[in-house]
Amino acid sequence: QLVRAGVFWAQSALGQQGGGMMAPRNNGLPPTTATPKRRCAVYTRKSTDEGLDQEYNSLEAQRDAGLAYIASQRHEGWTAVHDTYDDGGYSGGNMDRPALKRLMADIERGQIDIVVVYKIDRLTRSLSDFARLVEVFDRTGVSFVSVTQQFNTTTSMGRLTLNILLSFAQF
């Protein structure tokens, strides 16, 4: 009777009825949870036009590094968007750059989840502009990753690091 009660309890816990053999759920496979897709945009910038006409230039090298990093995070659901955001021949000292403006518009439209750059100074060289960009990222739920500087706000430690840096900058 105790064994029968145990079988009844196990069947109830598994959502089964009756007293026959217990069939495994999901064909014996563990339940699957779909990893949410994270749409990633790679932003590249080079201050001068010099060398941009080469077969393989700095912007392409930055983009390839960003795409390789995104590919390494595929298990986390990261996928690169098809659009490119390349500002060749534009200073990082201001935000008056066509590709950056397009990127920010796409972020505001909810089309981007993660911004990937080769180095932080490719996004901006201005601390106040960086703070403004981070404000938009925070408001829209977008994360920021610098491939070569191990800076990643998709993690809690990365967000803490960013907040500490911005706090020191404000101080």
Side-chain angles (χ1 to χ4, degrees):
Q1 189 127 48
L2 195 52
V3 171
R4 210 176 315 157
V7 169
F8 176 76
W9 176 85
Q11 288 173 338
S12 296
L14 292 173
Q16 299 174 356
Q17 297 176 357
M21 292 212 19
M22 294 189 305
R25 293 195 317 176
N26 200 15
N27 297 329
L29 300 173
T32 57
T33 56
T35 303
K37 293 292 180 207
R38 308 285 312 269
R39 298 159 300 173
C40 304
V42 178
Y43 177 78
T44 65
R45 184 188 62 78
K46 184 176 186 303
S47 296
T48 66
D49 290 331
E50 184 180 325
L52 291 180
D53 57 348
Q54 294 176 349
E55 189 174 321
Y56 187 74
N57 62 47
S58 172
L59 295 178
E60 292 167 323
Q62 291 176 51
R63 188 178 327 105
D64 286 349
L67 292 172
Y69 190 86
I70 292 167
S72 76
Q73 300 301 309
R74 189 174 298 128
H75 65 282
E76 295 289 335
W78 291 27
T79 182
V81 297
H82 294 290
D83 205 351
T84 58
Y85 303 92
D86 302 328
D87 276 326
Y90 287 91
S91 168
N94 63 57
M95 294 192 355
D96 190 23
R97 294 173 261 154
L100 181 61
K101 288 179 180 179
R102 260 188 320 103
L103 174 63
M104 298 309 289
D106 288 350
I107 287 171
E108 292 285 357
R109 283 193 289 273
Q111 298 173 340
I112 306 294
D113 300 309
I114 301 171
V115 173
V116 178
V117 296
Y118 183 73
K119 289 179 11 182
I120 293 173
D121 69 358
R122 299 298 87 197
L123 188 60
T124 184
R125 289 188 175 272
S126 164
L127 188 56
S128 61
D129 288 345
F130 185 66
R132 272 186 289 216
L133 290 169
V134 168
E135 184 178 307
V136 172
F137 294 168
D138 282 346
R139 179 172 43 80
T140 57
V142 169
S143 296
F144 170 72
V145 175
S146 171
V147 173
T148 61
Q149 296 166 315
Q150 303 299 314
F151 193 81
N152 182 346
T153 64
T154 63
T155 66
S156 57
M157 185 56 85
R159 288 187 298 276
L160 173 65
T161 303
L162 176 64
N163 286 330
I164 290 170
L165 289 174
L166 292 173
S167 295
F168 275 106
Q170 287 176 343
F171 180 70

